[in-house]
Amino acid sequence: MIKMFMPAIIGTIAQEGQTATASAPTNVSIATSSSGNYDDAVVMTGDITNFFDFDGSTMSSNSGSDVMQLQINQMATAYSGQSPQEIFTFKGYCRATGATSFLWDVSIDTTNTNVNNLSLGVTGTASTSQDATGTNGVGEKVQWAFAGGKGGTVYPEEGMELRMKVNCTATNAHGSTDADELTIHYVFE
């Protein structure tokens, strides 16, 4: 007796109970590490001093935004003998389900930032790594040069604000999904 199998039936049986996922990545968020720690948060360090540093612990409880109030008179002390600039490095982990590639983005909220004639800009190249918690962080950085001249360095004035934004996009063959954008907001007093 010869047994013959019908390929169409075998293929149907093999696929039964299997579900194909044809969607863009889900559960996309920025966190301080791959698991645990703080979700909807980013770590930020200053390359010149630690005056602006924070670990993200207060961001996750504030829906991905953190408002920090800084005393202007403390800036002169923090930057005494230093270069009259700061370079902000952002570090995070792009959590996502079903993603195959990642792209980070750093920007300055120019609509809500008012720091007089102090020079602000985004430098560097955006990281394409899911894990951007290392030394170079998300690749792009914000460089802030304080104004100055014969009278010395000019720091922000009372009431001025600096808002920086960080985002990560997770992608697969079916599309892309952005994490909720995180905002780091400084108010100078």
Side-chain angles (χ1 to χ4, degrees):
M1 177 166 165
I2 298 175
K3 291 186 181 182
M4 294 180 61
F5 294 98
M6 297 170 76
I9 294 173
I10 294 172
T12 304
I13 294 169
Q15 291 178 1
E16 189 176 325
Q18 297 176 358
T19 56
T21 335
S23 67
T26 58
N27 303 317
V28 180
S29 66
I30 298 171
T32 56
S33 68
S34 61
S35 64
N37 285 5
Y38 307 108
D39 198 17
D40 296 323
V42 67
V43 172
M44 190 184 77
T45 59
D47 289 3
I48 307 301
T49 73
N50 63 356
F51 186 72
F52 290 96
D53 291 6
F54 72 93
D55 65 4
S57 61
T58 55
M59 288 188 89
S60 58
S61 62
N62 292 315
S63 301
S65 180
D66 207 355
V67 179
M68 291 158 279
Q69 297 173 332
L70 298 174
Q71 301 299 316
I72 298 168
N73 60 354
Q74 294 175 353
M75 284 186 76
T77 302
Y79 288 91
S80 176
Q82 303 292 329
S83 174
Q85 69 170 346
E86 187 56 86
I87 300 169
F88 301 101
T89 299
F90 306 91
K91 300 175 181 183
Y93 191 94
C94 191
R95 294 180 181 172
T97 302
T100 56
S101 65
F102 302 88
L103 182 64
W104 289 89
D105 181 57
V106 171
S107 62
I108 299 165
D109 180 352
T110 56
T111 304
N112 295 303
T113 291
N114 61 335
V115 287
N116 269 352
N117 295 323
L118 306 180
S119 174
L120 281 169
V122 176
T123 64
T125 302
S127 173
T128 57
S129 174
Q130 180 177 21
D131 185 353
T133 58
T135 305
N136 292 323
V138 303
E140 292 181 320
K141 300 178 180 196
V142 171
Q143 185 168 355
W144 185 12
F146 308 129
K150 290 182 181 180
T153 302
V154 178
Y155 296 106
E157 297 173 7
E158 185 175 338
M160 290 184 172
E161 297 182 23
L162 169 60
R163 294 182 195 210
M164 299 171 285
K165 296 181 177 276
V166 179
N167 202 351
C168 178
T169 302
T171 302
N172 66 20
H174 304 288
S176 297
T177 306
D178 289 336
D180 288 338
E181 189 170 62
L182 304 182
T183 302
I184 299 93
H185 179 187
Y186 289 107
V187 176
F188 299 94
E189 300 180 331

